[in-house]
Every structure is written in structure tokens, then in C-alpha cells.
Amino acid sequence: TGVSAEDVDSKIRMVEARATMRVAFVKSGLPDAACKRLTAQFEGMDHFTEADVTAAINGEREYLASFTESGHVQGLGDSIEPGEDRSEKMSKMFDAFFNPDDRSVISFKECYVDFTGDTRVTGHLQNCNLTRMREAVGDIAFRESVSSGTFSNALGDAINRAVSGYYAKPGKYDDWRDLADVVPVSDFRTQERARVGGYGDLPVVAERGPYGALATPTDDISNYAVVKHGGTEDVSLEAVKNDDVGVIRRIPMQMTRAAKRTLYKFVLDFLSTNPVITDGNAVFYAGGNNLGTAALDKIAYAARRLAMMAHVEPGSNEKMDLEPAHIWVPDQLEEVAFDMFVRNTNLDPDFVQKVRAIVHRVWYWTDANNWYLSADKHESPPIEIGFLDGQEEPELFVQDSPTQGSLFSNDVITYKLRHIYGGTVKNREALDGNVVA
């Protein structure tokens, strides 16, 4: 053919270089016009290196930056204010929208248009201002998600911050923390927890005498595995177009409420459902001396208090002397429990009032008669709750497709909320259940 091997290798290298060049320009975050101009320039060159491409990109950035240094022109004529870039402004705008106490931003449609430049809210990338979007998320984030994820990710970040803020606010769904120790869990495999018993009294050691070996206490094994809890929610093109402020604004609040409520029920169900645990017995059973049947009153409370205090420590057989620190009751028994611990009109507290426990109303329990006691978890934690990798807050993820041609996948952005945890009863002696017939 008259073509040498060297010529073939040279042509192959040039084809590969031009392909690499095109990818570099697309990922550079430069405006489309600048990418096309640089691509045409390098297509006409017989030889260039990767360093030449990098230098051209940096030069184009410096050239474009010269138009914005005064703070008057940005992208396609957008104005900016000195001291704060658009990514910071957009983050604050989203945060203000989801903050019920901040009324400075009341239109979600306004957020969308300001972010994307898609004034007709079509959801199509070709109708968006890529320069505005790059400024709104920052150059690095834009280059990593240049096609479709920029608005959805920014919205997801705002929802995530709102979810974290709502989750951190204490409320009625946080009572479970008085029952449980919280620990990190590294994987989904079954976790084994050994509860080591105690040592007996230390013997006297004679002068110059040897120290004897202590009797090694026995231990009990409990186990559990963490599981995933969660679901998805969509933000549709219609919701943005119609500016359904109430619907969109409630998403993080309702997601957080669902996550906290589910976790609360998971922990309190260890009391109300009385499950069988690792040793083959229910949490409350007669052989464990932690099950009563009397209706709630001062006499029944005093009796169950004595039963809890009588538990002995495994290994040492010493009295643990645990006292009830909390009483857990349904709606119907809240007043009864409260009245047991109030002071008399003469301000002289009786015995039960003196050893009062904190009353917790468990709003979702349906049995109107059963009631439960728990000791101070710092003395003996009744329950252990493990979160995967120590992640106590629910996590939010954006679902999008890298092959889609519009800003929304099927005209919606889908968000997934995930919460991973598990748990078990750790110390039965720190619990007392009263199942009333």
C-alpha cells in the first residue's frame, strides 16, 4: 500500500489524541461556544499534546474571567454582587425556601428558574443556561455532573440540610433515647454483644501474701443485625411548573417525621410486643422476675420497684439494686401515672412520690392497661441500638440517569431516604413489664 507502520501508528495516536481532546473540552465546564471554537482549532492541527489542550483550557478560562472581574457581567448578562458567589446564593435561597420561619423565598418556581435559567420550566437541558448552572453549583461540581444532575443535586443538598435540621430538633419521637444505648455498627452481619457478669467481693490480701485469682464471671450473648428502612419521593415537573410550594416544602419535614417515628416505634416495640430474645425467652417472663399483672397504682408500682431492685448480677450474684427511672404508659394511663407522683396538698410527699419516675406517654400503644418500667440507662442500658457506620441521621440520595436528555428523569426527580439500624434488649433486669388482663 505504500503506507509504513510508522505512519499508521502516527495516525492512530492522532485519532486517540483528538478523542481525548474532545472529552477534556466537554468536562472543562467552558461555555459551549468556547468548547466548539477550541475543538475546531485543535481539529486543524497535525500535532498537539495533552499539555497543549490543558494550556488552551486554562487560557480560555482566564480570558472569560476577565469579563467578570468587575462584577458586572457573568455568563449571558447575569449580574452578580461582590463578596458572594452564585453557589452560595443558591444554597441560601434553597435553605430559605425550606425554612418555615424564613419568608424571604416563597416560590419554588423562582428557585428553579434562578438556578437553571429555564424560564418556561420545560425541564429540557437545551433550554437551560449552563453558565448559570455552573456558577450555581461551582466549577468542580458542574464538571462532575455536567449533563442532568446539577439542579437535582442542589435541591437534594438543600432537602438533606433541612432533614438534618429537623432530625436534630428534640421532640416526642426522641424519648427512646432514655431506653437505649447507641453504638456504631460496621456492616450488615449479625452483631454479637457479650454482657459480662460481675465479680464478687474482693478478698482480703494478707501482708506479703499472694493475690488470688478472681472467679471469672460468666457472660450472656445477645445479637442483632442492622436493616435498611426508607423509601422514595418525587418532585415532578408539574409541581415546579405549578409552584406547589406547600407540597415541596413539606417533603423534608414529612420525611424526617416518618424516619423519627419509625425509629421510635422500633425501640418501644421491644416493650409492647414482648419479643423472644437470644436466650430463648421473652423480654418479660415470670422466670425473669420482671413480669407483673396488676393495674397501675401506687401499690403495684411499689411492688414492681422492689422486684427490679431484687435482681442479682450474673456471675457475682450480688444485688444490682436497680431502681425504676422511667415509666412508659399509653395515653389512657398518663394521668394516673402523673397523679401517682404529684405532691400532696400539705406538701409532704409520700414514699412513691419520693422515688418518682419520669412519665413517658407512648402515643401509639393501643392497649389501655399495660405499663412498663425501665432503669437509668447509665446504670444498666436496657436496649442497644446500632447505626451502620454510626450514621444516626437518615441519608438522602438523588436518583438520576446519566443517559437522560432532560433535567428530570421522566419529568421527575426522585429522592431516596435511607435509614439503617438494628437493636436488641441488652439487660432484661433493667426492664419490668406489667401485662394487665
Side-chain angles (χ1 to χ4, degrees), residues 109-357:
K109 186 176 181 179
E110 177 187 347
C111 295
Y112 171 82
V113 172
D114 198 356
F115 187 99
T116 65
D118 180 13
T119 56
R120 293 185 294 119
V121 193
T122 65
H124 292 292
L125 191 63
Q126 61 263 33
N127 295 328
C128 297
N129 185 332
L130 298 185
T131 302
R132 291 181 68 89
M133 294 171 67
R134 182 178 66 250
E135 294 163 0
V137 298
D139 284 339
I140 295 177
F142 186 80
R143 289 197 297 274
E144 291 175 348
S145 184
V146 69
S147 58
S148 61
T150 49
F151 177 74
S152 57
N153 283 331
L155 177 59
D157 288 343
I159 295 177
N160 224 340
R161 289 192 295 271
V163 166
S164 296
Y166 290 131
Y167 192 85
K169 290 182 179 179
K172 65 180 180 181
Y173 298 137
D174 297 297
D175 278 6
W176 67 267
R177 293 184 180 275
D178 287 325
L179 269 175
D181 258 359
V182 174
V183 300
V185 173
S186 60
D187 53 48
F188 287 92
R189 291 177 294 186
T190 299
Q191 309 293 313
E192 288 195 350
R193 294 291 185 266
R195 187 189 68 160
V196 179
Y199 294 92
D201 292 344
L202 299 179
V204 173
V205 179
E207 182 179 357
R208 299 179 182 274
Y211 284 80
L214 299 175
T216 302
T218 57
D219 57 20
D220 295 327
I221 301 294
S222 59
N223 55 56
Y224 66 92
V226 299
V227 296
K228 295 182 292 185
H229 305 257
T232 64
E233 180 57 281
D234 296 335
V235 176
S236 67
L237 177 63
E238 289 84 354
V240 180
K241 190 86 169 178
N242 297 336
D243 207 8
D244 291 337
V245 173
V247 173
I248 299 173
R249 183 173 282 158
R250 283 197 299 269
I251 289 175
M253 181 182 298
Q254 301 289 45
M255 279 185 162
T256 308
R257 180 178 298 172
K260 296 188 75 168
R261 184 179 62 240
T262 305
L263 175 57
Y264 174 89
K265 288 183 176 180
F266 175 80
V267 178
L268 270 298
D269 277 353
F270 281 114
L271 304 186
S272 61
T273 65
N274 196 20
V276 174
I277 56 178
T278 309
D279 65 2
N281 297 304
V283 175
F284 307 107
Y285 75 112
N289 194 28
N290 68 342
L291 176 64
T293 59
L296 178 60
D297 59 21
K298 290 186 177 182
I299 295 175
Y301 175 83
R304 298 319 303 168
R305 175 177 177 271
L306 288 174
M308 180 178 285
M309 292 168 58
H311 289 301
V312 296
E313 184 180 52
S316 69
N317 287 323
E318 293 290 333
K319 186 176 178 180
M320 297 177 71
D321 197 29
L322 294 174
E323 292 189 67
H326 305 273
I327 180 169
W328 307 83
V329 296
D331 293 343
Q332 296 84 349
L333 292 181
E334 181 182 22
E335 184 176 355
V336 174
F338 179 82
D339 288 346
M340 284 193 337
F341 300 116
V342 296
R343 303 179 72 173
N344 293 327
T345 54
N346 62 3
L347 300 183
D348 292 327
D350 62 20
F351 178 75
V352 170
Q353 293 163 351
K354 183 177 180 181
V355 296
R356 65 177 303 167

Side-chain angles (χ1 to χ4, degrees), residues 37-51:
R37 186 175 64 80
L38 290 177
T39 300
Q41 174 186 330
F42 276 81
E43 289 285 3
M45 299 170 60
D46 294 330
H47 176 74
F48 58 84
T49 65
E50 187 177 341

